[in-house]
């Protein structure tokens, strides 16, 4: 049986009076691609952000690779080394070149040599199809290229798990495909991935599991063919009818 990479048990998170995550349970096994879908405001980003400790849960358990993680007992940088994240709005360092963006965390967080970081960064830039852009500044790139740099930058820490929060939502439609195909390649290489997306085609094609969230709760989990063709829950069906 493949290893459980992420296990979430009864996770709760509130912002003030707003109860955003309500007893969320989730399990992600090695090499799984999980697509998290649901309306805006349902808690998808908060769930991802809790998984790499950009938000601190109120209660419940987060178990990463068998290890229950707490901010009190863990160096959160270690967790973020295992769990990479890609955001809707790239967040590249504007004053650094493409390759410097990719080298930054390995050099400053992992303390590897610049020479080695540069070699590894180049391999990653090739992988995302941007080797020719190594010395360019982000402002010269298209949104799709920026997002591929952001993916390379996350991969540079050699994470075991990658989280994607609407990685294509800020892109012009013609640039969505290049980012999705980079993600698909990563999935095919066996990366464990949790992807918040509105790209139902991607979810249908690449996901092993689709998780539908509504109002802070996981309403339904299933294989894409079941979720899209035969959702069990009325809420799931209504959501899919509204987006498909
Ligand atoms: P989704 O990603 O599904 O659109 P979010 O997780 O971003 O949903 O947000 C869920 C709810 O939590 C929303 O009502 C949002 O306004 C609220 N929220 C998210 N982050 C914060 C925050 N840092 N402070 C206060 N409220 C927040
Ligand atoms: Mg969100």
């Amino acid at each position: 049986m493949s290893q459980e990479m992420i296990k979430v048990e009864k996770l709760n998170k509130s912002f003030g009076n707003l109860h955003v995550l309500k007893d969320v349970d989730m399990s992600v096994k090695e090499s799984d691609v999980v697509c998290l879908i649901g309306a805006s405001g349902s808690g998808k980003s908060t769930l991802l952000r809790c998984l790499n400790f950009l938000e601190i849960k109120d209660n419940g358990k987060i178990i990463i690779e068998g290890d229950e993680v707490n901010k009190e007992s863990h160096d959160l940088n270690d967790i973020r080394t295992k769990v990479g994240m890609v955001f809707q709005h790239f967040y590249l360092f504007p004053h650094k070149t493409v390759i410097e963006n990719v080298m930054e965390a390995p050099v400053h967080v992992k303390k590897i040599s610049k020479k080695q970081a540069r070699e590894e960064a180049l391999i990653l830039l090739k992988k995302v199809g941007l080797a020719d852009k190594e010395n360019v500044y982000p402002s010269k790139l298209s949104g799709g290229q920026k997002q591929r740099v952001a993916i390379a930058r996350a991969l540079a820490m050699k994470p075991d798990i990658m989280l994607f929060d609407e990685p294509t939502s800020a892109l012009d439609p013609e640039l969505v495909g290049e980012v999705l195909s980079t993600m698909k390649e990563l999935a095919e290489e066996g990366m464990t991935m949790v992807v918040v997306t509105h790209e139902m085609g991607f979810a249908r094609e690449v996901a092993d599991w689709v998780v539908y969230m509504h109002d802070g709760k996981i309403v339904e989990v299933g294989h894409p063919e079941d979720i899209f063709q035969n959702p069990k829950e009325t809420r799931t069906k209504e959501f899919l009818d509204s987006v498909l």
Side-chain angles (χ1 to χ4, degrees):
M1 210 182 83
S2 57
Q3 199 197 339
E4 195 153 48
M5 301 296 275
I6 302 174
K7 188 163 175 64
V8 171
E9 289 176 6
K10 294 218 175 303
L11 184 67
N12 283 276
K13 173 72 182 172
S14 296
F15 295 108
N17 291 331
L18 188 66
H19 194 179
V20 175
L21 297 179
K22 301 169 181 167
D23 283 340
V24 169
D25 292 320
M26 190 167 85
S27 163
V28 183
K29 296 217 161 64
E30 192 171 11
S31 297
D32 272 357
V33 177
V34 174
C35 283
L36 192 52
I37 64 171
S40 174
S42 56
K44 306 179 299 296
S45 294
T46 304
L47 175 54
L48 279 202
R49 292 168 63 82
C50 284
L51 292 178
N52 85 338
F53 293 81
L54 291 171
E55 301 290 354
I56 302 300
K57 68 181 185 199
D58 295 333
N59 53 62
K61 283 189 185 174
I62 298 175
I63 301 160
I64 307 282
E65 296 176 46
D67 192 12
E68 189 186 343
V69 181
N70 284 300
K71 72 172 193 306
E72 293 78 16
S73 57
H74 285 76
D75 177 353
L76 297 184
N77 271 331
D78 285 348
I79 300 305
R80 294 191 191 120
T81 303
K82 284 186 187 168
V83 185
M85 187 150 171
V86 171
F87 303 88
Q88 183 175 352
H89 298 290
F90 336 123
Y91 302 118
L92 299 178
F93 302 113
H95 57 289
K96 290 183 186 292
T97 63
V98 162
I99 196 157
E100 286 166 353
N101 265 276
V102 180
M103 292 166 58
E104 171 73 18
V107 169
H108 289 101
V109 180
K110 275 198 173 167
K111 313 285 183 200
I112 72 167
S113 73
K114 280 199 170 170
K115 181 171 179 291
Q116 190 189 340
R118 185 172 290 277
E119 282 167 12
E120 292 179 5
L122 252 187
I123 292 169
L124 288 171
L125 288 175
K126 282 204 186 102
K127 186 185 170 80
V128 301
L130 292 171
D132 58 328
K133 301 289 185 198
E134 61 171 311
N135 295 316
V136 160
Y137 285 88
S139 60
K140 303 284 182 217
L141 300 177
S142 71
Q145 291 171 330
K146 283 182 198 167
Q147 194 58 297
R148 286 185 284 144
V149 174
I151 293 171
R153 183 178 59 175
L155 292 174
M157 292 297 274
K158 305 194 171 123
D160 298 332
I161 300 162
M162 284 279 282
L163 309 176
F164 293 86
D165 193 358
E166 298 198 35
T168 61
S169 293
L171 301 178
D172 291 334
E174 72 273 21
L175 304 177
V176 167
E178 65 192 60
V179 172
L180 293 180
S181 46
T182 301
M183 291 166 61
K184 190 174 167 206
E185 278 170 32
L186 208 53
E188 282 164 356
E189 288 169 13
M191 178 61 80
T192 306
M193 297 167 46
V194 182
V195 183
V196 174
T197 189
H198 296 292
E199 294 292 333
M200 297 302 154
F202 179 85
R204 204 185 277 260
E205 189 186 353
V206 182
D208 298 296
W209 299 98
V210 176
V211 173
Y212 170 61
M213 260 184 102
H214 175 80
D215 191 22
K217 292 185 197 135
I218 291 181
V219 171
E220 185 164 355
V221 180
H223 292 298
E225 59 273 21
D226 296 327
I227 292 273
F228 289 111
Q229 270 145 47
N230 198 14
K232 286 198 195 71
E233 302 292 332
T234 318
R235 283 229 165 88
T236 315
K237 186 177 176 338
E238 285 168 358
F239 172 74
L240 290 171
D241 286 344
S242 74
V243 295
L244 288 176

